[in-house]
Amino acid sequence: MSWGKLLQPDLVLGNSILSLTSGIIQKHQIKGLVLDVDDTLVPIRDSNTSPELSEWVEEIRTITSLWLVSNNLSQYRISRIAESLNIPYIAGAGKPSRRKLKKAVDAMNLPVEQVAMVGDRLFTDVLAGNRLGMFTILVEPISNIGSEFPNYGVRSFEIWVSQLLGASLSMSAYRLMPGNKK
């Protein structure tokens, strides 16, 4: 598989995870979501979830299984976020490694094709999900306004390299058409 295809999300939302609706999930026949944490669910320096995120989780968990899989090494921080949302989690995942993603998918007892990896980064979340054969969803990062260390430079670089390698990252560009997965 080419690098362009490995870095190509199945769906580009162009907004935060809160715009991932139950309708979108059902349309793509997704039964499980593996969620990145940092800048996908909460800003990288926060340990508290927003009321809007908690509401989103409560709605989405009625139609799909949820797991958090984070590269963050802070077991305390990730466990605090996971416990506040009542979602099982894995910290220190080492994405784009597939090993911890597979562990979460196996715990859901679902075929990998029915599970989506949702994250804000191409070279970790999307790459790991595509390597495992998951449906991949790229969301816009949630960041602290005025953050001392915004991640936009890294993300812009990832997008630029991905496009050079052949990935299309427009919101209308996604691979999953009937009978057209990877």
Side-chain angles (χ1 to χ4, degrees):
M1 184 177 288
S2 74
W3 277 105
K5 288 186 182 194
L6 285 171
L7 295 169
Q8 175 67 55
D10 292 300
L11 179 61
V12 179
L13 281 186
N15 210 333
S16 78
I17 194 164
L18 300 177
S19 66
L20 180 58
T21 64
S22 56
I24 293 170
I25 292 168
Q26 290 168 333
K27 175 184 176 186
H28 294 289
Q29 301 174 350
I30 296 167
K31 304 293 184 205
L33 295 176
V34 174
L35 307 170
D36 175 52
V37 176
D38 291 331
D39 287 340
T40 297
L41 298 180
V42 297
I44 197 163
R45 304 261 184 253
D46 284 0
S47 295
N48 298 315
T49 58
S50 70
E52 295 84 9
L53 179 65
S54 296
E55 285 177 33
W56 178 85
V57 166
E58 289 308 312
E59 177 189 343
I60 297 302
R61 78 167 12 117
T62 64
I63 60 163
T64 187
S65 298
L66 300 171
W67 266 78
L68 305 184
V69 177
S70 176
N71 279 357
N72 195 301
L73 298 174
S74 174
Q75 185 77 23
Y76 171 76
R77 180 173 168 273
I78 301 303
S79 69
R80 185 172 167 178
I81 292 166
E83 288 168 12
S84 75
L85 297 170
N86 193 27
I87 301 174
Y89 73 95
I90 297 170
K95 294 175 282 180
S97 171
R98 297 171 285 195
R99 190 168 51 95
K100 301 284 176 81
L101 286 183
K102 179 147 178 34
K103 183 177 177 182
V105 171
D106 289 347
M108 289 184 206
N109 200 28
L110 292 168
V112 72
E113 302 82 21
Q114 293 180 359
V115 180
M117 175 68 223
V118 183
D120 67 307
R121 300 282 308 277
L122 291 164
F123 280 64
T124 55
D125 307 316
V126 171
L127 180 57
N130 281 340
R131 289 181 66 224
L132 192 57
M134 300 171 80
F135 187 87
T136 53
I137 302 173
L138 182 68
V139 298
E140 288 296 312
I142 296 175
S143 294
N144 284 331
I145 295 174
S147 174
E148 192 176 337
F149 303 104
N151 212 10
Y152 299 120
V154 173
R155 183 177 161 88
S156 295
F157 178 74
E158 286 183 353
I159 290 169
W160 179 74
V161 170
S162 297
Q163 289 175 327
L164 280 178
L165 294 170
S168 171
L169 301 175
S170 68
M171 290 191 325
S172 63
Y174 55 88
R175 285 189 306 244
L176 194 66
M177 303 291 178
N180 195 23
K181 173 68 175 155
K182 299 186 186 195

